[in-house]
Amino acid sequence: MTSTSLPSRISTDIDFDRDGKQISNLVIPYSRNESAWGSLLMPIAVVKNGAGPTLLLTGGSHGDEYEGPIALAKLVRTLEPENLRGRIIVLPALNYPALRSGTRLSPIDGGNMNRVFPGSRTGTVTPMIAHYVYTELLPLADVVLDMHSGGSSLEFIPSAICHRLENPDLMAKTLAALTAFGAPVGLILEELDMEGMLDSAVENQGKLFLSTELGGGATLSPVALQVAERGLQNLLVHLGMLSGAQPVETPQTRLMEVPDGSYYVIASEAGIYEPFYQLGDEVRQGEPIGQIHFLENLERSPQLLIAQQSGTFFCRRVQGKAERGDCVAVIARELP
Ligand code: CA
């Protein structure tokens, strides 16, 4: 047996086949100076009632994004097994050390949970968690929802997100779930860097995957939290997993897309970023969406940041300070 085919080093007392509600931990071995035989106890919950689909729900993949983890914790507290058909597996703190420190990346190994899939059983904590999810949980799951927000650097119009998929049947199912979620925007996103994402790991197995981008700025927005809570209920109803429940009334989802990298606005110089727009404003191709100020050179005019595409100001950098190469804005257009 090679080391890659050995089972995960992470263990749990959860019985994934048992009906009812179980709230427990994943035990992640973490030997360190302060705790020779220590481990990390990462929260997990499973609610199951008979036959039906399995929905894997994750939040806190980045530790400075809060709407997902809070909405998932509330779902675990309030969902009674008798109202469910099938099984939900909930990891509200997927990068648990990062969530504890309130940072995007893990303070233990600098790991970005959404760039290390399929992970490694012999890696440090972040790839070890990813490997557990990949080898132990994804085989159980029919559908995966991974809830993100903008974190410390970005802010989004609250959105449900999917990717453009080659499989037309899976694309149609994904778009139906995206619309059912009921966020203000349902977005088909072309990512700048797909390598190592949970998204691709699930999509490549032909399974239904959705993510979200809710609030941002490392805050917990009441508006975005409501979108998250309603979206969770709507998705469960859409999948036929909530007996007797109706979808929550939401305004119609605006279907949009970010079709390629030209919809991203990247800072070409370091300085102080001044946005010219609020989220939701319309911007026009060839016009400035903001500018970079150079406070160490008072004679120098600010550098204008030009939109390469027309559309809606969908995402913005929230921090004033910007480095060369920072994404400062994303423009989205209506789905044709
Ligand atoms: Ca994120």
Side-chain angles (χ1 to χ4, degrees):
M1 225 180 206
T2 64
S3 72
T4 50
S5 61
L6 289 169
S8 173
R9 295 148 67 204
I10 297 175
S11 59
T12 182
D13 58 3
I14 293 265
D15 177 353
F16 290 95
D17 296 324
R18 195 210 305 166
D19 279 346
K21 186 189 293 193
Q22 301 172 73
I23 296 175
S24 188
N25 297 298
L26 298 180
V27 181
I28 305 165
Y30 179 42
S31 175
R32 56 205 188 273
N33 286 333
E34 308 78 41
S35 186
W37 291 3
S39 27
L40 293 170
L41 303 180
M42 174 170 143
I44 181 171
V46 175
V47 187
K48 181 175 180 294
N49 187 25
T54 292
L55 171 61
L56 174 62
L57 297 165
T58 53
S61 170
H62 297 128
D64 54 359
E65 305 176 4
Y66 300 112
E67 285 84 1
I70 298 304
L72 290 175
K74 187 170 179 181
L75 179 70
V76 167
R77 288 197 304 276
T78 55
L79 180 63
E80 295 306 330
E82 57 266 31
N83 297 328
L84 185 70
R85 190 182 73 84
R87 173 172 58 181
I88 61 169
I89 301 172
V90 189
L91 294 168
L94 187 58
N95 197 336
Y96 171 61
L99 203 75
R100 284 195 55 165
S101 70
T103 53
R104 177 175 179 82
L105 309 179
S106 171
I108 293 175
D109 54 14
N112 182 338
M113 185 59 76
N114 214 20
R115 297 293 184 278
V116 299
F117 277 85
S120 160
R121 77 176 291 277
T122 54
T124 52
V125 168
T126 308
M128 210 195 310
I129 295 170
H131 175 263
Y132 179 85
V133 172
Y134 190 79
T135 58
E136 299 289 332
L137 301 185
L138 289 195
L140 304 177
D142 301 297
V143 181
V144 179
L145 171 68
D146 186 30
M147 304 184 82
H148 289 251
S149 298
S152 304
S153 64
L154 300 177
E155 182 184 17
F156 291 85
I157 300 175
S159 303
I161 311 270
C162 72
H163 299 122
R164 195 165 286 290
L165 306 170
E166 283 174 17
N167 177 338
D169 180 50
L170 187 60
M171 187 77 233
K173 281 183 187 158
T174 304
L175 276 178
L178 183 84
T179 308
F181 190 91
V185 168
L187 185 84
I188 304 176
L189 179 68
E190 178 68 28
E191 310 266 359
L192 289 180
D193 175 22
M194 287 287 283
E195 191 66 34
M197 292 181 75
L198 172 59
D199 315 44
S200 340
V202 178
E203 290 160 358
N204 291 342
Q205 295 181 7
K207 293 180 178 181
L208 204 166
F209 179 88
L210 279 190
S211 73
T212 64
E213 292 293 357
L214 296 161
T219 64
L220 182 54
S221 146
V223 172
L225 180 59
Q226 191 181 56
V227 171
E229 290 176 7
R230 290 175 169 180
L232 275 173
Q233 171 154 352
N234 288 340
L235 182 63
L236 284 165
V237 171
H238 175 74
L239 297 171
M241 297 178 70
L242 273 191
S243 49
Q246 297 298 316
V248 185
E249 281 288 326
T250 54
Q252 197 179 2
T253 293
R254 190 175 166 199
L255 287 176
M256 307 192 79
E257 67 173 348
V258 174
D260 61 55
S262 67
Y263 287 74
Y264 291 78
V265 182
I266 306 295
S268 50
E269 300 208 51
I272 308 299
Y273 167 54
E274 175 197 358
F276 292 166
Y277 292 100
Q278 308 267 17
L279 290 183
D281 287 348
E282 295 303 309
V283 303
R284 292 174 60 113
Q285 183 182 42
E287 293 185 354
I289 58 99
Q291 59 188 358
I292 302 283
H293 293 270
F294 309 103
L295 294 181
E296 286 155 333
N297 183 351
L298 296 178
E299 292 179 345
R300 187 172 173 196
S301 300
Q303 167 101 43
L304 290 172
L305 299 167
I306 306 298
Q308 289 180 263
Q309 301 288 348
S310 298
T312 301
F313 202 67
F314 169 73
C315 161
R316 71 177 186 103
R317 180 173 176 80
V318 290
Q319 291 171 356
K321 187 173 173 302
E323 296 292 335
R324 255 167 75 84
D326 281 343
C327 174
V328 294
V330 182
I331 298 163
R333 72 174 183 192
E334 300 289 338
L335 204 58

